[in-house]
Amino acid sequence: MRFADVVGHARPIALLRRALATDRLAHALLFAGPEGIGKRLVADALAAAVVCETKGTDVCGACPGCRQLAAGTHPDVLVVSLPQGKREVPIERVRDLNQFLRLQPLRAARKAAIIDDAHLLSLAAQNALLKGLEEPPLGALMILIAHNADALLPTVRSRCQRLLFAPLSSEEVDQVLRGRLGIAPEEIAAVAPFADGRPGRALALRKLVHTDGEPPATRLERLEGARYGALVPLATHFSRSEDLAAFALESLLRQYRDTTDPGDRAACGRAARRADIVVEALQALRRRNPNRQLLLESVFLQLARR
Ligand SMILES: [Zn+2]
């Protein structure tokens, strides 16, 4: 990954390249910002620039260091991430990281470690990380990535230079999905309005929609006048993830907005009352981490009755 291949994030990238060019890169960086916007790609590009042997501010892609990194065998780059099926990054991973950082670089001028999902580091893991942050091994670079930086200990946060990453513009989301990933326009149209500037979210939704066999909009049409027995499986279907539940609710809002005749006052009143129910549910979903199945059943039931 090269900086030049990253879509968006011009400001943090310019900062990083300047720091690289003047050899003033902090020993620990915290990449903070919403999930699915490309923080990890920038971290990958930075780690690659650090171990590239041409010592420029972007990656050459051709030196032995770059080739080893591309093959996933570079000895001076380590990625710490959430183990599959776990909810926390355990302390053992940070112990491995500390061990890695203590040793001299083998090939590059300095070592680089990416700590993905840093907000999921267990408390013990964060305390173990603190040691490395307080007495950084010479030349080591640590990049912490967090979409919920508040979950990190203040002592961890304060020892990192924080870089804020913002959601992408809709043109940039399109550039990622269509330009970089070559996704068909009709597939993009189905999910991009719900991406909130996060290509990762659009991709996750696309995957969910893809494996469903039936477009979500068709499924939601069944709400009209449905009985309780038919609403339960519908709620089960859309409660599989928070993103999918939000997607269903946002789709309903859109549907009310796009299909209501502005000249029909009675219809506008009905649509507004339905929209209120959906907006309230969306807020509950985002703020309170509710039981999604029960929440959707309740919303669908209220909508089906109206
Ligand atoms: Zn190189």
Side-chain angles (χ1 to χ4, degrees), residues 48-261:
V50 163
V51 301
C52 173
E53 289 160 26
T54 57
K55 300 207 179 356
T57 61
D58 208 343
V59 181
C60 78
C63 72
C66 279
R67 285 206 301 273
Q68 263 192 310
L69 189 67
T73 56
H74 201 295
D76 299 319
V77 176
L78 180 77
V79 178
V80 174
S81 53
L82 185 70
Q84 207 156 30
K86 290 275 188 318
R87 305 180 73 132
E88 279 189 333
V89 181
I91 186 169
E92 291 74 23
R93 295 278 161 119
V94 176
R95 287 199 183 119
D96 294 345
L97 167 74
N98 289 342
Q99 179 67 25
F100 164 80
L101 292 173
R102 258 198 296 277
L103 302 171
Q104 289 290 316
L106 289 170
R107 148 131 244 145
R110 57 189 299 191
K111 293 195 157 198
I114 296 172
I115 300 132
D116 210 352
D117 292 319
H119 54 283
L120 298 178
L121 287 164
S122 71
L123 202 58
Q126 289 193 50
N127 278 311
L129 185 70
L130 211 47
K131 276 189 200 142
L133 290 172
E134 279 166 348
E135 297 157 31
L138 202 66
L141 168 68
M142 279 187 261
I143 310 163
L144 281 70
I145 303 175
H147 56 259
N148 177 16
D150 292 339
L152 288 165
L153 292 171
T155 42
V156 169
R157 281 203 304 267
S158 67
R159 281 169 178 79
C160 301
Q161 185 189 341
R162 196 192 294 217
L163 260 82
L164 289 177
F165 287 72
L168 302 185
S169 69
S170 47
E171 291 77 25
E172 287 167 340
V173 171
D174 190 66
Q175 201 184 332
V176 173
L177 300 178
R178 194 167 44 83
R180 294 286 151 84
L181 302 171
I183 296 172
E186 60 273 16
E187 285 184 46
I188 294 174
V191 291
F194 306 97
D196 287 335
R198 296 153 51 191
R201 185 177 191 220
L203 288 174
L205 283 172
R206 173 177 172 258
K207 199 170 159 201
L208 285 166
V209 169
H210 237 55
T211 51
D212 278 354
E214 186 180 27
T218 315
R219 234 174 250 274
L220 288 168
E221 275 167 19
R222 277 189 233 130
L223 264 179
E224 211 61 45
R227 287 165 185 276
Y228 183 68
L231 297 176
V232 176
L234 210 54
T236 307
H237 178 82
F238 286 111
S239 62
R240 284 175 293 159
S241 80
E242 188 180 324
D243 270 351
L244 193 60
F247 175 70
L249 293 170
E250 285 166 8
S251 302
L252 287 169
L253 276 184
R254 240 158 223 280
Q255 188 192 317
Y256 300 150
R257 195 192 62 202
D258 296 345
T259 61
T260 308
D261 172 8

